[in-house]
């Protein structure tokens, strides 16, 4: 790139512009998505090792755009965060998921250790009404708070402040807190002292290395040891092979999630999987 501001504009300008237009279009379409019934929630089971029994599910939002087809949440969630739409979409996902969880749990043995995990973005945690929203939804769905796990990222609560206050209030309500993508932030260990945490979700990038070199495996081992020492649950994410699942068990993991077990599925498919497990 030339150093003059003018040539930079020529070089990067149109591309940035196109990006901004694309973003604005996506944001406009997304603002209509809820009203137009384009959003759905899929659920990916979290299973016990080694047996693979379903211990709960993670809710993952899906968007079927009228002309583009499926748009990945990795693309539209950041857009929803920047525009603030995530507050509305997040509340919708939460209500849908808690409703579904109450139905699944009532069909199971009450004593079954079954939980619904829902992702919350930084923007939602900064919303003053978020805790009240969660409490109202749990009440409406008659779902005990301990059946709900809210997944947060390290970066969302890293700065302390209101986001951290929200997490503390949620925890005081009896909701479980999971640290998502654990290990990928820059304050993972320090955060465990200040933020109430019940579950560590070990990021796929670490799980990928579990059948690799000793060095790669060391990270996954360390996280397992931290979880055991602090009496936290640890969930290994993105498990794609039997070899990974076997090794994770040897390293002390009791919970896993990944394509090797189940992909994210529409609710009917989860209902069928639960029924198959119960042998009915
Ligand atoms: P995440 O919370 O880390 O969710 C896990 C992602 O990994 C999901 O992608 C899931 O489909 C994918 N995954 C699970 N197992 C495997 C595997 O074995 N291999 C591979 N390659 N991938 C696997 P998805 O559904 O595309 O979601 C992407 C991200 O979008 C999520 O990452 C989460 O950060 C965000 N997201 C999804 N739904 C919601 C939501 O309702 N609210 C918020 N705030 N964020 C959401
Ligand atoms: Ca998650
Ligand atoms: Ca994750
Ligand atoms: Ca992730």
């Amino acid at each position: 790139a030339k150093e003059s501001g003018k040539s930079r504009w020529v070089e990067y300008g149109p591309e940035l512009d196109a990006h901004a237009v694309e973003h604005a279009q996506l944001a406009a379409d997304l603002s209509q998505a809820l009203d137009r019934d384009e959003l759905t929630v899929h659920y990916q089971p979290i299973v016990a090792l080694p047996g693979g029994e379903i211990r709960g599910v993670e809710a993952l939002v899906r968007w079927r755009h009228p002309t583009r087809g499926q748009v990945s949440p990795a693309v539209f969630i950041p857009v929803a965060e920047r525009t603030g739409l995530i507050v509305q979409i997040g509340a919708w996902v939460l209500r849908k998921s808690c409703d579904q969880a109450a139905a699944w749990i009532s069909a199971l043995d009450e004593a079954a250790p079954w939980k619904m995990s829902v992702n919350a973005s930084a923007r939602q945690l900064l919303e003053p009404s978020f805790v009240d929203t969660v409490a109202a939804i749990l009440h409406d769905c008659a779902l005990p708070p301990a059946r709900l796990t809210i997944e947060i990222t390290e970066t969302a609560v890293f700065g302390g402040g209101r986001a951290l206050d929200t997490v503390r209030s949620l925890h005081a309500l009896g909701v479980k807190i999971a640290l998502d993508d654990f290990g990928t932030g820059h304050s993972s260990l320090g955060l465990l002292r200040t933020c109430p945490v019940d579950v560590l979700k070990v990021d796929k990038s670490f799980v990928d290395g579990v059948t690799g070199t000793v060095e790669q495996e060391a990270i996954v081992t360390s996280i397992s040891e931290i979880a055991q020492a602090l009496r936290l649950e640890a969930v290994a994410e993105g498990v794609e092979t039997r070899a990974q699942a076997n090794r994770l068990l040897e390293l002390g993991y009791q919970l896993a999630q990944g394509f090797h077990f189940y992909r994210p599925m529409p609710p009917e498919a989860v209902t069928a999987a639960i029924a198959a497990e119960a042998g009915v």
Side-chain angles (χ1 to χ4, degrees):
K2 298 246 174 71
E3 50 283 277
S4 99
K6 197 174 170 214
S7 76
R8 265 192 199 198
W9 168 245
V10 170
E11 219 168 324
Y12 299 117
E15 203 181 301
L16 279 176
D17 243 22
H19 190 79
V21 169
E22 168 83 5
H23 177 273
Q25 188 58 56
L26 213 54
D29 292 349
L30 192 56
S31 70
Q32 315 236 50
L34 263 180
D35 284 343
R36 294 181 178 172
D37 270 341
E38 292 165 7
L39 298 184
T40 55
V41 183
H42 281 195
Y43 301 91
Q44 184 179 34
I46 295 170
V47 305
L49 294 174
E53 302 89 12
I54 300 174
R55 288 296 163 84
V57 293
E58 175 177 1
L60 295 159
V61 69
R62 295 289 178 261
W63 180 21
R64 190 179 178 82
H65 188 280
T67 55
R68 296 170 198 239
Q70 291 292 335
V71 182
S72 166
V75 171
F76 75 83
I77 291 291
V79 173
E81 283 185 47
R82 264 173 278 156
T83 58
L85 262 174
I86 189 66
V87 172
Q88 211 189 333
I89 292 175
W92 180 84
V93 170
L94 202 57
R95 185 170 288 278
K96 195 105 183 150
S97 305
C98 287
D99 230 12
Q100 187 62 74
W104 280 328
I105 288 167
S106 73
L108 290 162
D109 182 353
E110 291 282 303
W114 212 97
K115 290 197 201 88
M116 172 62 70
S117 291
V118 181
N119 294 285
S121 70
R123 184 69 175 66
Q124 289 171 276
L125 299 176
L126 291 172
E127 196 65 22
S129 60
F130 187 64
V131 177
D132 289 343
T133 300
V134 173
I137 290 172
L138 288 171
H139 175 265
D140 293 349
C141 300
L143 188 69
R147 295 290 192 172
L148 176 65
T149 302
I150 297 282
E151 299 196 359
I152 62 170
T153 59
E154 299 163 43
T155 37
V157 283
F158 157 72
R162 185 186 277 166
L164 185 55
D165 289 344
T166 299
V167 173
R168 288 186 174 134
S169 301
L170 287 171
H171 200 249
L173 208 63
V175 169
K176 303 293 178 196
I177 305 297
L179 267 187
D180 209 350
D181 306 339
F182 187 75
T184 60
H186 25 237
S187 62
S188 307
L189 296 183
L191 205 57
L192 295 178
R193 286 186 309 175
T194 54
C195 183
V197 175
D198 304 286
V199 184
L200 301 181
K201 297 200 74 175
V202 184
D203 193 63
K204 180 178 188 303
S205 60
F206 300 123
V207 171
D208 283 344
V210 84
T211 50
T213 65
V214 174
E215 287 80 7
Q216 284 177 306
E217 203 176 81
I219 296 173
V220 182
T221 305
S222 304
I223 297 176
S224 159
E225 285 168 358
I226 291 164
Q228 282 173 36
L230 300 180
R231 293 186 167 68
L232 308 176
E233 284 186 349
V235 179
E237 284 193 285
V239 180
E240 293 184 343
T241 68
R242 180 185 302 274
Q244 286 172 341
N246 288 342
R247 190 68 189 128
L248 287 163
L249 181 66
E250 287 172 356
L251 298 178
Y253 285 83
Q254 297 177 347
L255 295 168
Q257 183 180 356
F259 295 173
H260 172 61
F261 299 100
Y262 295 98
R263 288 181 175 258
M265 315 183 275
E268 311 78 58
V270 177
T271 304
I274 292 172
E277 204 169 74
V280 291

